[in-house]
Amino acid sequence: MAKRGVALAAITAMACVAQFMVVLDSSIVNVALPSMKSGLGLSTSAQQWVVNGYLVTFGGLLLCASRAGDLFGRRRVFQIGLAVFSVASLAGGLAQDGWMLLAARVVQGAGAAALAPSSLSLITASHSGPSRRRRAMTWWGVAASSAGAAGIVVGGLLASVSWRWVMLVNVPIGVGLLIAGRVCLAPAETGHRRSSVDVPGAIAVTLSAAAIVYGVSAVPDGGWGAPRVVVALIAGVVLLAAFVAIERRSAEPLIPLAIFSGAAVRMGNILTLCLGVVLTAPLFFLSLYLQQVEGLSALRTGLSLLPMVAVISVGVLLSQRLIPAIGARRLLVVGAVAAALGLAWLGQLPVHHGYVTPVLLPTLVVGAGTSLTMMPAIVAATGGVDPRDAGIASGLLNMCRQLGAALGLAALVTVAATVTDRSGSGGNAAVVDGYRIAFDALAVVSLITAALALLLKPVREEVR
């Protein structure tokens, strides 16, 4: 029994570290972009794709990679993802030209697509007891929630030495996880013995996700009416419709559409989409505000956001005890409303210097609120799913988080830029006007999340 507990703890630790690394790399490069630009002579467009290249392949391949875990074994996909991610990180850190770094980031995103769903499915498939699974998923949620902000801190620290360490830091972690995986992860039955894979469905859903993510990522440069944005989004919708048609007719579908029959799964993924916006966008705008308006360094900016990270981590741990006591629906409503109040407070950002009242206190409120919403949404999105489909359930969850972050951030950046351009204030005042509107919009999204949570039915497994 003791050996079983140690094995489960090891699997949980590996899954959490892998998820932390994946989410970390979506934000860690942000503060290093200026030094990457000067070191490799990147153009403005190429600089943007240091981030977007990772996100496009990450989002586009998530569902395909998650289903691969169900079909061919989660251990195998987990280790392949680790190897690809680590090698790409090494190549990016040693890049001597801009195209080499961009290519490495694209491949790194493919590795992340394999790691993200397989890390959560390792937990859901190995932890059979509801209480053990809930505790493991709580730690996974802590890793995912804290990694985004930690990326700003770690990125600022590493970039102060060299931008190359922002990429190279993943290599020893990846190697360590590969070794631990060989020791701790026993080969498991996949549960789906098939003679063929739904290749048309895989192509359709991957291209659909990639087109949508690309279209959204291009909005800040050209606006929603730009030809490449319109074409990409229309193509994404058409391909998504084609994917649904393929899955309906396929004898061996990539994604069993029956997985969406559960109301909790549907609502949990919609809530995760909204939470992706609320979790990602505040850090982006606060980072710009603290550096461009307050004049802080990248490292000091990251340190200024540490209190928010600490509150999120503690709050996620606390939420697992609160769910059985007050219920997931109530916890979601309370957390989302609290986050909305904090975001509305951030909507009053001053142009002049200030930290405690305009930044620290409202970010603590936002962190506390969002931390209480994460676990109920995760459990709802994965609860009641057949263990054989754990990979696709976690893939949908991760994809909703990524799409929510990408869609929301692109829209908010466009709104903020429009307000700044039309503002008569000029200088930092005009920039802050845009940030204020962005935070007000985020508060509205959080209130919508609270309203949607009222429609969520209790999931019995999560409250035992």
Side-chain angles (χ1 to χ4, degrees):
M1 194 70 178
K3 290 183 178 180
R4 173 65 175 169
V6 172
L8 291 177
I11 292 174
T12 300
M14 291 177 57
C16 289
V17 172
Q19 181 66 8
F20 184 89
M21 186 168 62
V22 166
V23 178
L24 184 79
D25 250 65
S26 65
S27 63
I28 194 173
V29 299
N30 287 319
V31 294
L33 287 175
S35 52
M36 287 178 172
K37 180 179 180 180
S38 60
L40 297 176
L42 297 176
S43 64
T44 302
S45 176
Q47 187 181 18
Q48 172 191 338
W49 276 99
V50 174
V51 177
N52 289 342
Y54 180 84
L55 293 178
V56 166
T57 51
F58 187 3
L61 296 175
L62 256 177
L63 288 176
C64 186
S66 65
R67 195 53 175 171
D70 289 333
L71 295 176
F72 306 117
R74 298 176 185 97
R75 170 185 170 174
R76 182 179 300 172
V77 172
F78 183 78
Q79 291 180 320
I80 290 174
L82 273 175
V84 171
F85 193 91
S86 301
V87 171
S89 298
L90 178 63
L94 299 178
Q96 299 300 310
D97 204 348
W99 71 265
M100 297 175 66
L101 176 61
L102 297 182
R105 287 290 286 172
V106 169
V107 177
Q108 197 179 35
L115 277 178
S118 60
S119 67
L120 182 56
S121 64
L122 284 175
I123 291 176
T124 56
S126 60
H127 292 67
S128 55
S131 59
R132 281 187 173 182
R133 178 185 293 185
R134 188 171 64 247
R135 284 196 297 269
M137 289 173 65
T138 297
W139 284 111
W140 185 89
V142 170
S145 62
S146 60
I152 299 175
V153 180
V154 176
L157 180 63
L158 295 176
S160 64
V161 179
S162 171
W163 67 262
R164 296 183 182 278
W165 283 107
V166 172
M167 299 291 292
L168 294 174
V169 69
N170 296 311
V171 178
I173 300 175
V175 171
L177 286 175
L178 278 170
I179 295 173
R182 296 287 294 181
V183 175
C184 301
L185 297 178
E189 294 295 325
T190 63
H192 286 272
R193 297 298 186 184
R194 299 183 177 185
S195 58
S196 62
V197 179
D198 179 17
V199 176
I203 294 174
V205 72
T206 301
L207 291 179
S208 172
I212 292 173
V213 172
Y214 173 79
V216 172
S217 68
V219 169
D221 288 335
W224 290 102
R228 60 173 174 165
V229 173
V230 174
V231 170
L233 293 179
I234 291 177
V237 173
V238 171
L239 285 167
L240 182 60
F243 166 71
V244 173
I246 292 171
E247 298 307 281
R248 287 182 182 276
R249 299 176 182 178
S250 176
E252 299 178 340
L254 179 69
I255 302 176
L257 297 182
I259 198 172
F260 297 106
S261 61
V265 174
R266 293 196 304 270
M267 188 56 63
N269 278 282
I270 293 174
L271 289 169
T272 303
L273 191 74
C274 295
L275 289 176
V277 186
V278 177
L279 284 168
T280 304
L283 294 173
F284 176 84
F285 287 108
L286 284 170
S287 178
L288 293 181
Y289 172 79
L290 292 172
Q291 292 185 70
Q292 296 181 0
V293 178
E294 295 292 285
L296 300 184
S297 66
L299 179 57
R300 289 187 62 192
T301 295
L303 294 175
S304 297
L305 297 174
L306 269 181
M308 181 181 179
V309 180
V311 169
I312 291 176
S313 300
V314 173
V316 172
L317 288 173
L318 179 62
S319 69
Q320 76 161 332
R321 297 182 180 274
L322 294 177
I323 289 175
I326 67 176
R329 181 166 50 190
R330 292 178 182 176
L331 194 59
L332 274 165
V333 172
V334 171
V337 170
L341 293 174
L343 291 165
W345 191 349
L346 286 172
Q348 307 301 314
L349 283 174
V351 177
H352 304 293
H353 294 286
Y355 172 65
V356 175
T357 301
V359 177
L360 176 61
L361 295 180
T363 55
L364 292 179
V365 176
V366 174
T370 55
S371 69
L372 296 179
T373 61
M374 295 179 61
M375 275 308 300
I378 291 174
V379 173
T382 58
V385 176
D386 190 314
R388 296 175 301 174
D389 293 322
I392 193 57
S394 58
L396 286 169
L397 178 71
N398 278 280
M399 190 172 193
C400 284
R401 185 193 296 270
Q402 295 299 319
L403 285 178
L407 286 165
L409 185 56
L412 290 169
V413 167
T414 300
V415 169
T418 301
V419 171
T420 298
D421 292 340
R422 295 179 179 177
S423 175
S425 304
N428 283 341
V431 173
V432 173
D433 284 342
Y435 294 165
R436 289 169 179 164
I437 294 298
F439 282 117
D440 287 340
L442 281 166
V444 173
V445 173
S446 194
L447 288 176
I448 292 174
T449 303
L452 290 174
L454 293 174
L455 304 176
L456 183 66
K457 294 182 179 180
V459 180
R460 291 185 178 181
E461 180 181 351
E462 64 177 332
V463 297
R464 284 180 183 175

